[in-house]
Amino acid sequence: MLITHDTRCALDTVVDLVNTAPEEDANPDALPDVAALQEFVRNHEISDVGVLSELDLSAVRKIRELFTAVFGAPDARTAAGLINELVAAAGTTPRLTDHDGYDWHVHYFAPGASVADHLAADCGMALAFFVVAGEQERLRRCEAPDCRRAFVDLSRNRSRRYCDSRTCGNRLHVAAYRARRKEAAG
């Protein structure tokens, strides 16, 4: 599956957005206020975003819930329905652009769109490409028992199980190794 630079940026953005959500009171909301949203927009170099407000924060949190549901969707039909809802509500307006030193790429949001519509359109379309390609199962949650972070499995053989192999994956592998050693020692 060919993933262009702008699609990869949108995938990274949607994963990070989903991972800002509080999870069962264990983690606080990583978008607690407008300043945090501004930081998110700045860190992800989201273009064409004006001054942000509490309304923007509320709207982004609502689309975050829908994106979270996409990562938890049991099948492609459910994921497609959620993505269709996101993209339709954003009023997508595909257009070619070559800004900020990047070659030609497609923006799916209308000029002057709110940050929520921008995210819903661009990130929704990035996820849509996976459903269209029959790759919805690549939209995953970490399998570590104490971590449910979202990620997109871009491995060649669709084998990635953890959000970060250096933390979650390594921690579980070390724990399994120690358990085997303890059992072998008797």
Side-chain angles (χ1 to χ4, degrees):
M1 178 174 179
L2 175 67
I3 299 175
T4 62
H5 175 266
D6 53 311
T7 300
R8 179 59 195 253
C9 289
L11 290 172
D12 291 343
T13 300
V14 72
V15 164
D16 289 347
L17 179 62
V18 167
N19 289 333
T20 65
E23 204 167 301
E24 298 177 13
D25 299 327
N27 300 330
D29 192 325
L31 287 179
D33 52 33
V34 175
L37 179 58
Q38 288 171 330
E39 183 72 15
F40 183 89
V41 167
R42 188 172 30 263
N43 288 342
H44 290 86
E45 299 178 357
I46 300 171
S47 60
D48 296 334
V49 174
V51 177
L52 299 173
S53 69
E54 288 292 332
L55 290 174
D56 291 308
L57 179 62
S58 177
V60 167
R61 285 178 175 164
K62 285 179 185 170
I63 65 158
R64 178 179 68 182
E65 289 175 22
L66 290 171
F67 280 129
T68 299
V70 171
F71 277 83
D75 54 46
R77 183 165 306 284
T78 304
L82 292 163
I83 293 167
N84 283 341
E85 183 180 340
L86 281 157
V87 172
T92 57
T93 307
R95 64 187 170 95
L96 289 167
T97 184
D98 66 339
H99 63 90
D100 297 330
Y102 294 109
D103 279 336
W104 290 104
H105 59 282
V106 180
H107 279 187
Y108 294 96
F109 59 94
S114 70
V115 67
D117 285 347
H118 179 135
L119 290 169
D122 273 1
C123 296
M125 290 305 299
L127 296 179
F129 296 141
F130 280 82
V131 174
V132 168
E135 301 283 350
Q136 183 253 335
E137 74 275 359
R138 288 182 181 268
L139 309 177
R140 298 194 174 158
R141 290 295 196 152
C142 185
E143 290 183 17
D146 59 343
C147 178
R148 297 294 302 147
R149 292 179 61 83
F151 68 93
V152 177
D153 179 3
L154 297 177
S155 67
R156 188 172 293 185
N157 61 357
R158 299 175 192 90
S159 61
R160 189 169 161 199
R161 297 173 48 207
Y162 307 107
C163 63
D164 185 346
S165 60
R166 286 176 296 212
T167 54
C168 288
N170 189 49
R171 187 170 33 82
L172 288 173
H173 289 110
V174 168
Y177 170 78
R178 288 180 179 158
R180 286 191 306 273
R181 297 264 323 215
K182 184 177 180 181
E183 185 178 304

